Coordinates of all heavy atoms in Angstrom, one line a residue:
K1 N 170.6 207.0 -66.6 CA 169.8 205.8 -66.7 C 169.1 205.5 -65.5 O 169.6 205.8 -64.4 CB 170.7 204.6 -67.1 CG 171.4 204.7 -68.5 CD 172.2 203.4 -68.7 CE 172.8 203.6 -70.2 NZ 173.6 202.4 -70.5
P2 N 167.9 204.9 -65.5 CA 167.1 204.6 -64.3 C 168.0 203.7 -63.4 O 168.5 202.7 -63.8 CB 165.9 203.8 -64.9 CG 165.7 204.3 -66.3 CD 167.1 204.6 -66.8
S3 N 168.1 204.1 -62.1 CA 168.9 203.3 -61.2 C 168.1 202.3 -60.4 O 166.9 202.4 -60.3 CB 169.6 204.3 -60.2 OG 168.6 205.0 -59.5
S4 N 168.8 201.3 -59.8 CA 168.2 200.4 -59.0 C 167.7 201.1 -57.7 O 168.3 202.0 -57.3 CB 169.0 199.2 -58.7 OG 169.5 198.6 -59.8
P5 N 166.6 200.6 -57.1 CA 166.2 201.2 -55.8 C 167.3 201.2 -54.8 O 168.1 200.3 -54.6 CB 165.0 200.3 -55.4 CG 164.5 199.7 -56.7 CD 165.7 199.5 -57.5
C6 N 167.4 202.3 -54.0 CA 168.4 202.4 -52.9 C 167.6 202.4 -51.6 O 168.3 202.6 -50.5 CB 169.2 203.7 -53.0 SG 168.2 205.2 -53.1
G7 N 166.3 202.3 -51.6 CA 165.5 202.2 -50.4 C 164.1 201.8 -50.7 O 163.6 201.9 -51.8
F8 N 163.4 201.3 -49.6 CA 162.0 200.8 -49.7 C 161.3 201.3 -48.4 O 161.9 201.3 -47.4 CB 161.9 199.4 -49.9 CG 162.4 198.9 -51.2 CD1 163.7 198.3 -51.3 CD2 161.6 198.9 -52.4 CE1 164.2 197.9 -52.5 CE2 162.1 198.5 -53.6 CZ 163.4 197.9 -53.7
I9 N 160.0 201.4 -48.6 CA 159.1 201.6 -47.4 C 157.9 200.7 -47.6 O 157.4 200.7 -48.8 CB 158.8 203.0 -47.1 CG1 158.0 203.1 -45.8 CG2 157.9 203.6 -48.3 CD1 157.8 204.6 -45.4
I10 N 157.4 200.0 -46.6 CA 156.2 199.2 -46.7 C 155.4 199.5 -45.5 O 155.8 199.6 -44.4 CB 156.6 197.7 -46.6 CG1 157.4 197.2 -47.8 CG2 155.2 196.9 -46.7 CD1 157.8 195.7 -47.8
Y11 N 154.1 199.9 -45.8 CA 153.2 200.2 -44.7 C 151.8 199.7 -45.1 O 151.5 199.3 -46.3 CB 153.2 201.7 -44.5 CG 152.7 202.5 -45.7 CD1 151.3 202.9 -45.8 CD2 153.5 203.0 -46.7 CE1 150.8 203.7 -46.8 CE2 153.1 203.7 -47.7 CZ 151.7 204.1 -47.8 OH 151.3 204.8 -48.9
F12 N 150.9 199.7 -44.1 CA 149.5 199.2 -44.3 C 148.6 200.0 -43.4 O 149.0 200.5 -42.4 CB 149.3 197.7 -44.2 CG 149.7 197.2 -42.8 CD1 148.7 197.1 -41.8 CD2 151.0 196.8 -42.5 CE1 149.0 196.6 -40.6 CE2 151.3 196.3 -41.2 CZ 150.3 196.3 -40.2
S13 N 147.3 200.0 -43.8 CA 146.3 200.7 -43.0 C 145.4 199.6 -42.4 O 145.1 198.6 -43.0 CB 145.5 201.7 -43.8 OG 144.9 201.1 -44.9
K14 N 144.8 199.9 -41.2 CA 143.9 199.0 -40.6 C 143.0 199.7 -39.6 O 143.4 200.7 -39.0 CB 144.8 197.9 -39.8 CG 144.0 196.7 -39.4 CD 145.0 195.6 -38.8 CE 144.4 194.4 -38.4 NZ 145.3 193.4 -37.9
M15 N 141.8 199.1 -39.4 CA 140.9 199.7 -38.4 C 141.4 199.3 -37.0 O 141.9 198.2 -36.8 CB 139.5 199.1 -38.6 CG 138.5 199.6 -37.5 SD 136.8 199.2 -37.8 CE 136.4 200.2 -39.2
D16 N 141.4 200.3 -36.1 CA 141.9 200.1 -34.8 C 140.9 199.3 -33.9 O 139.8 199.7 -33.8 CB 142.2 201.4 -34.1 CG 143.0 201.3 -32.8 OD1 142.8 200.3 -32.1 OD2 143.7 202.2 -32.5
P17 N 141.2 198.1 -33.5 CA 140.3 197.3 -32.7 C 139.8 197.9 -31.4 O 138.7 197.7 -30.9 CB 141.0 196.0 -32.4 CG 142.5 196.4 -32.5 CD 142.5 197.4 -33.6
R18 N 140.7 198.9 -30.9 CA 140.3 199.5 -29.6 C 139.0 200.4 -29.9 O 138.2 200.6 -29.0 CB 141.4 200.5 -29.2 CG 142.7 199.6 -28.7 CD 143.8 200.5 -28.5 NE 144.2 201.3 -29.6 CZ 145.2 202.2 -29.6 NH1 145.9 202.4 -28.5 NH2 145.5 202.9 -30.7
W19 N 139.0 201.0 -31.1 CA 137.8 201.8 -31.4 C 136.6 201.0 -31.5 O 135.5 201.3 -30.9 CB 138.1 202.5 -32.8 CG 136.9 203.4 -33.2 CD1 136.6 204.6 -32.8 CD2 135.9 203.0 -34.2 NE1 135.5 205.1 -33.5 CE2 135.1 204.2 -34.4 CE3 135.7 202.0 -35.1 CZ2 134.0 204.2 -35.3 CZ3 134.7 202.0 -35.9 CH2 133.9 203.1 -36.0
G20 N 136.6 199.8 -32.1 CA 135.5 198.9 -32.2 C 135.0 198.4 -30.8 O 133.8 198.3 -30.5
A21 N 136.0 198.1 -29.9 CA 135.7 197.7 -28.6 C 135.0 198.8 -27.8 O 134.0 198.5 -27.1 CB 137.0 197.3 -27.8
K22 N 135.4 200.0 -28.0 CA 134.7 201.1 -27.3 C 133.3 201.4 -27.8 O 132.4 201.5 -26.9 CB 135.5 202.4 -27.6 CG 135.0 203.6 -26.8 CD 135.8 204.9 -27.1 CE 135.3 206.0 -26.3 NZ 136.0 207.3 -26.6
R23 N 133.0 201.1 -29.1 CA 131.7 201.3 -29.6 C 130.7 200.2 -29.0 O 129.6 200.5 -28.8 CB 131.7 201.3 -31.1 CG 132.3 202.5 -31.7 CD 132.1 202.5 -33.2 NE 130.6 202.6 -33.5 CZ 130.1 202.6 -34.7 NH1 130.8 202.2 -35.8 NH2 128.8 202.7 -34.9
K24 N 131.3 199.1 -28.8 CA 130.5 197.9 -28.4 C 130.4 197.8 -26.9 O 129.8 196.9 -26.3 CB 130.9 196.6 -29.0 CG 130.8 196.6 -30.6 CD 131.3 195.3 -31.1 CE 131.2 195.3 -32.7 NZ 131.7 194.1 -33.2
G25 N 131.1 198.7 -26.2 CA 131.1 198.7 -24.7 C 132.0 197.7 -24.1 O 131.8 197.5 -22.9
R26 N 132.9 197.1 -24.8 CA 133.8 196.1 -24.2 C 135.0 196.8 -23.7 O 135.4 197.9 -24.1 CB 134.2 195.1 -25.3 CG 133.1 194.3 -25.9 CD 133.7 193.1 -26.6 NE 134.6 193.5 -27.7 CZ 134.3 193.7 -28.9 NH1 133.0 193.6 -29.3 NH2 135.1 194.1 -29.8
K27 N 135.5 196.3 -22.6 CA 136.7 196.8 -22.0 C 137.9 196.1 -22.5 O 138.0 194.9 -22.7 CB 136.7 196.6 -20.4 CG 135.7 197.5 -19.8 CD 135.7 197.3 -18.3 CE 134.7 198.2 -17.6 NZ 134.7 198.0 -16.1
R28 N 138.9 196.9 -22.8 CA 140.2 196.4 -23.4 C 141.1 195.9 -22.3 O 141.2 196.6 -21.2 CB 140.9 197.4 -24.2 CG 142.2 196.9 -24.8 CD 142.7 198.0 -25.9 NE 142.9 199.3 -25.2 CZ 144.0 199.6 -24.6 NH1 145.0 198.8 -24.6 NH2 144.2 200.8 -24.1
K29 N 141.7 194.7 -22.4 CA 142.5 194.2 -21.4 C 143.8 195.0 -21.3 O 144.3 195.5 -22.3 CB 142.9 192.7 -21.7 CG 141.7 191.8 -21.5 CD 142.3 190.4 -21.8 CE 141.1 189.4 -21.6 NZ 141.6 188.0 -21.9
R30 N 144.2 195.3 -20.1 CA 145.5 196.0 -19.9 C 146.6 195.1 -19.5 O 146.4 194.2 -18.7 CB 145.3 197.0 -18.8 CG 144.3 198.1 -19.2 CD 144.2 199.2 -18.2 NE 143.3 200.3 -18.6 CZ 143.6 201.3 -19.4 NH1 144.8 201.4 -19.9 NH2 142.8 202.2 -19.8
H31 N 147.8 195.2 -20.1 CA 148.9 194.4 -19.8 C 150.0 195.3 -19.2 O 150.2 196.4 -19.6 CB 149.4 193.7 -21.1 CG 148.4 192.9 -21.7 ND1 148.1 191.6 -21.3 CD2 147.6 193.1 -22.8 CE1 147.1 191.1 -22.1 NE2 146.8 192.0 -23.0
P32 N 150.8 194.7 -18.3 CA 151.8 195.5 -17.7 C 153.0 195.8 -18.7 O 153.6 194.8 -19.2 CB 152.4 194.6 -16.5 CG 152.0 193.3 -17.0 CD 150.7 193.4 -17.7
V33 N 153.2 197.1 -19.0 CA 154.2 197.4 -20.0 C 155.0 198.7 -19.4 O 154.4 199.4 -18.6 CB 153.7 197.7 -21.4 CG1 153.2 196.5 -22.0 CG2 152.6 198.8 -21.3
R34 N 156.2 198.9 -19.9 CA 156.9 200.1 -19.5 C 156.6 201.1 -20.5 O 156.7 201.0 -21.7 CB 158.4 199.8 -19.5 CG 159.2 201.0 -19.1 CD 160.7 200.6 -19.2 NE 161.5 201.6 -19.8 CZ 162.6 201.3 -20.4 NH1 163.2 200.2 -20.3 NH2 163.4 202.3 -21.0
R35 N 156.1 202.3 -20.0 CA 155.7 203.4 -20.9 C 156.7 204.5 -20.8 O 157.3 204.8 -19.8 CB 154.3 203.9 -20.6 CG 153.2 202.9 -20.8 CD 151.8 203.6 -20.8 NE 150.8 202.6 -21.0 CZ 150.5 202.1 -22.2 NH1 151.1 202.6 -23.3 NH2 149.5 201.2 -22.4
D36 N 156.9 205.1 -22.0 CA 157.8 206.3 -22.0 C 157.1 207.5 -21.2 O 155.8 207.6 -21.2 CB 158.0 206.8 -23.4 CG 159.0 207.9 -23.5 OD1 160.2 207.7 -23.2 OD2 158.6 209.0 -23.8
S37 N 157.8 208.4 -20.6 CA 157.3 209.4 -19.8 C 156.9 210.6 -20.6 O 156.5 211.7 -20.1 CB 158.2 209.8 -18.7 OG 159.5 210.2 -19.2
G38 N 157.2 210.6 -22.0 CA 157.0 211.7 -22.8 C 155.5 212.0 -23.1 O 154.6 211.2 -22.6
P39 N 155.2 213.1 -23.8 CA 153.8 213.4 -24.1 C 153.1 212.4 -24.9 O 153.7 211.7 -25.7 CB 153.9 214.8 -24.8 CG 155.3 214.7 -25.5 CD 156.1 214.0 -24.5
D40 N 151.8 212.3 -24.7 CA 150.9 211.4 -25.5 C 151.3 209.9 -25.3 O 151.1 209.2 -26.2 CB 151.0 211.7 -27.0 CG 150.6 213.2 -27.3 OD1 149.6 213.6 -26.8 OD2 151.3 213.9 -28.0
S41 N 151.8 209.6 -24.2 CA 152.2 208.2 -23.9 C 151.0 207.3 -23.7 O 151.1 206.1 -23.9 CB 153.2 208.1 -22.8 OG 152.6 208.6 -21.6
A42 N 149.9 207.8 -23.3 CA 148.7 207.0 -23.1 C 148.1 206.7 -24.5 O 148.1 207.4 -25.4 CB 147.7 207.8 -22.3
C43 N 147.5 205.5 -24.5 CA 146.9 205.1 -25.8 C 145.6 205.9 -26.1 O 144.9 206.3 -25.2 CB 146.5 203.5 -25.7 SG 147.8 202.4 -25.7
S44 N 145.4 206.2 -27.3 CA 144.2 206.9 -27.8 C 143.3 205.9 -28.5 O 143.6 204.8 -28.7 CB 144.6 208.1 -28.7 OG 145.3 207.5 -29.9
T45 N 142.1 206.4 -28.7 CA 141.1 205.5 -29.4 C 140.9 206.1 -30.8 O 140.4 207.2 -31.0 CB 139.8 205.4 -28.7 OG1 139.3 206.8 -28.4 CG2 140.0 204.7 -27.4
N46 N 141.4 205.4 -31.8 CA 141.3 205.9 -33.2 C 140.5 204.9 -34.0 O 140.3 203.8 -33.7 CB 142.7 205.9 -33.8 CG 143.7 206.6 -32.9 OD1 143.4 207.7 -32.5 ND2 144.8 206.1 -32.7

């Protein structure tokens, strides 16, 4: 018989504001945060 759910996932998509800021020539404010030393730790523009 069909069973009750044993798990869920919720997600959403959104335009990245960093991309819009780059197109319009605005600079994004930087805040002091602790970053991981692993690969790709720098923010990208999507």
Side-chain angles (χ1 to χ4, degrees):
K1 295 182 179 180
S3 60
S4 300
C6 60
F8 293 97
I9 189 170
I10 300 179
Y11 64 92
F12 61 89
S13 59
K14 194 172 183 179
M15 179 173 285
D16 193 328
R18 295 172 300 180
W19 180 76
K22 184 178 179 182
R23 290 191 66 186
K24 296 179 181 180
R26 298 195 300 268
K27 291 184 177 181
R28 183 169 57 90
K29 292 183 178 180
R30 296 186 177 275
H31 301 282
V33 292
R34 180 180 133 200
R35 294 192 179 280
D36 185 70
S37 58
D40 302 314
S41 60
C43 288
S44 57
T45 54
N46 310 311

